[in-house]
Amino acid sequence: MQTVTPDEAILRINNYLNNTIAHPYFVIVDGSEAYQIVYEKFSYLEKINVSNYCSDNSFPDYDRLFNDLCNSKGKKIVFGLGDSIFLEGRYQILGKIKDVTVQGKIIVICRGIRDKVVALHEADPKFNEYRYCEIDSSLDYNIVKVKPSVYLHNVVKFKDLLRKLEGGIKGKLYVSTDMPVIAGSEIRSSYDAIKEENPAFTIAETTLNEDCWSSFNKDKDLEDYNLLHWRSFLKNKINPGNNGYLRLVVAKSKDYELYQKNVFDTILDIDRKEKNYWGLYKERKELLKDLPEAGTSRYVAMSKQKGEERIYYLTDNTTVERHAIIEEIAKNKKVPKEISMIYPELSMYLSFFHFSSNNSDVLDNYFQKYKELKITNLITTEFMEAVLNYAADGNRLYNSFDSRGALVEKLDDGKTILYWIDALGVEYLGFVQSLAKEMGLHITIHIGRAKLPTLTAFNDDFYKEWKGQKLQTKKLDSLKHDGENIFNYENQKLPLHIVEELGIIDNSLVRSKDILLQGQMKRVVIASDHGASRLAVINNSENQYEMNSKGIHSGRCCPKSEIDEKPEYATEEEGFWVLANYDRFKGGHKARVEVHGGATLEEVLVPVIEVSLANGKYELKNMTEIAWASWNETPFIEIFSPQKIENLLLKYNGQIYQSVDVGNGIHKVVFENLKRAGEYEADVLDGDNLIGKINFRIEKRSGSTRKEEEDFFKK
């Protein structure tokens, strides 16, 4: 039979409706445009939708449909039969419906089964042009079967799919089902769904596991995740960005499991003498600096494969790495010239400090060498000779210095707070000097002399007699005495405690600055009761003198008796023999970490440091580490200024943000229309006056963010 146009088909259908044929009339129409013409033309007829014979996810109940057709009266039109048969492949129902005798008129729209209806004509000559017509059109929909466990935003169940087809829809349609639907293609996994949605997506399926792909399929957000999160890995697979080290890691990582190792380990494959090594090193250090320490221990163990070169593959990002750096320096007996990149704080500790005082050249050299020996865990013959020289009667350099008490007393003006840091010796002055520069502090340093023996009981009068406000910390002294039992020299010969020492001093400077920023005090005076010696612990030597009393404070001093022979390198003070070399008196317990009580330069000389804020019209500080943005959170920051600001405003990208003064020098700024995650820099104004800039960070808060935070604090 020849095909006809939609208009010709309409004429034939009308002829059927008006004739006496008692069987259904079949209309073969595949194309959606022709389908719509027929659909609209006969919309006045009572409709029978085959989808109504389906549950949400099942093929039609053809027996019930057949019974309803048999009992049908009046003029009706059936939609969806061809589509359902096409999708199920159950063609027998066609012949059964073809031969049914009906009391009224039934038009059956057949889409997708042209060849099957034509085959009915070939098998039964009575099924002729009075029983069906064939409209000239082509099928223009394509069915994609989707596994029910796979998410796809525009997928429907079988019943809804059939309902859409009954309306004459065209294009690609997705059905979620496990039924044996005959489809043009099938989506069996989340990865298939991603590729279906974005054919240009070229990342290999083996990059992530199905759980990750499933999560990504539902939520494509890849921003603001921890570096080790699989979303960060995928983000960098898609767009590696500008970080050369990360690009190298991603290129080497065929899957997420490898990536988690390669983020740490890739640097180990690069010779540190290669031209681009230090650039990659810095990029890696920046990448890893905010990661929890727990992930670093494995890398530290892996780094041992580098042998004498190991230190060049460590950073100061974590405590375990900082300890490993100290270990390598002590083992190799040298400090690499790259230490300022590897461990900046240790480099600051080792930085040269000039003593602008009596015997400055001697002290400059002495303490520079002392720090190097402390960190390399060594006493050289040359340095020991110098110690013995300055320990001899008449050569003790500390006697030319003013007492610490006299220096402190001059500064007690009622406007200054005294901060006693127990056991802070002059060895740390280079570190303090460097920290002050970084923190925007102005310092003036005086060198004083502690009383002998260098015990707190003989050296706390400066604190007791201070008339103004005061505070103290004994953390540094406690570390030197006990080392939290971790750094006991009997068990741990390496000077790993230096890491904690620097942290304590850093925190003390931070606290000093916070006091100054409160605005009630213009100056903080940092002073100490005594210093301490690590080299006296390393020397681990008892002298040969038999004293009437046992040594105390690890043998650095001994109560004096009339029958005692004066030991060489000892001085008599306050009824004690006090050693100025690195020996200890018999009977004294061995020191655990560092020792004081004796009369070496590092035990006796102490700093008195005046600390104030560096000159500057305004000091601005963002008090908010992260401005969080979510569906129910508007990001905000709090800015602190020690100077009074009448009307603090922020200007960013042509937008002015008004602040609210919440008291105590703190101004709160809410970003009503700024929620995109990222780093920002804004101009700060006092009314019409530009007074500086402030940096802040906005991050999106999600369920996974909260979980990562909770996991972090559980560790």
Side-chain angles (χ1 to χ4, degrees), residues 56-57 144-150 155-158 174-178:
D56 281 346
N57 203 22
V144 179
K145 179 179 175 182
V146 181
K147 190 175 180 180
S149 60
V150 176
V155 71
V156 296
K157 296 293 182 64
F158 184 84
Y174 301 91
V175 57
S176 174
T177 184
D178 276 329

Side-chain angles (χ1 to χ4, degrees), residues 548-566:
N548 191 47
S549 300
K550 290 182 178 181
I552 62 172
H553 272 261
S554 303
R556 295 299 292 153
C557 55
C558 177
K560 181 179 176 296
S561 169
E562 292 298 328
I563 63 173
D564 289 341
E565 175 187 359
K566 178 184 179 300

Side-chain angles (χ1 to χ4, degrees), residues 287-298:
L287 279 174
L288 303 183
K289 70 177 183 178
D290 294 326
L291 293 181
E293 293 205 10
T296 310
S297 297
R298 177 193 155 278

Side-chain angles (χ1 to χ4, degrees), residues 20 177 240-241 255 275 305 316 407 535 612 617 653 660 662 690:
T20 59
T177 184
D255 57 41
K275 184 177 180 180
Q305 66 185 273
D316 65 337
L407 293 173
L535 300 193
S612 60
K617 189 175 181 182
N653 198 27
V660 176
V662 297
L690 184 63

Side-chain angles (χ1 to χ4, degrees), residues 508-568:
S508 297
L509 265 290
V510 170
R511 189 175 184 187
S512 298
K513 183 174 181 179
D514 288 343
I515 292 169
L516 294 168
L517 289 173
Q518 292 172 15
Q520 296 179 356
M521 291 291 170
K522 300 298 183 184
R523 181 173 61 177
V524 175
V525 169
I526 294 175
S528 185
D529 47 351
H530 54 74
S533 178
R534 172 67 175 181
L535 300 193
V537 177
I538 295 174
N539 192 50
N540 195 21
S541 173
E542 285 187 345
N543 62 26
Q544 74 275 22
Y545 296 94
E546 294 290 342
M547 313 306 289
N548 191 47
S549 300
K550 290 182 178 181
I552 62 172
H553 272 261
S554 303
R556 295 299 292 153
C557 55
C558 177
K560 181 179 176 296
S561 169
E562 292 298 328
I563 63 173
D564 289 341
E565 175 187 359
K566 178 184 179 300
E568 187 181 12

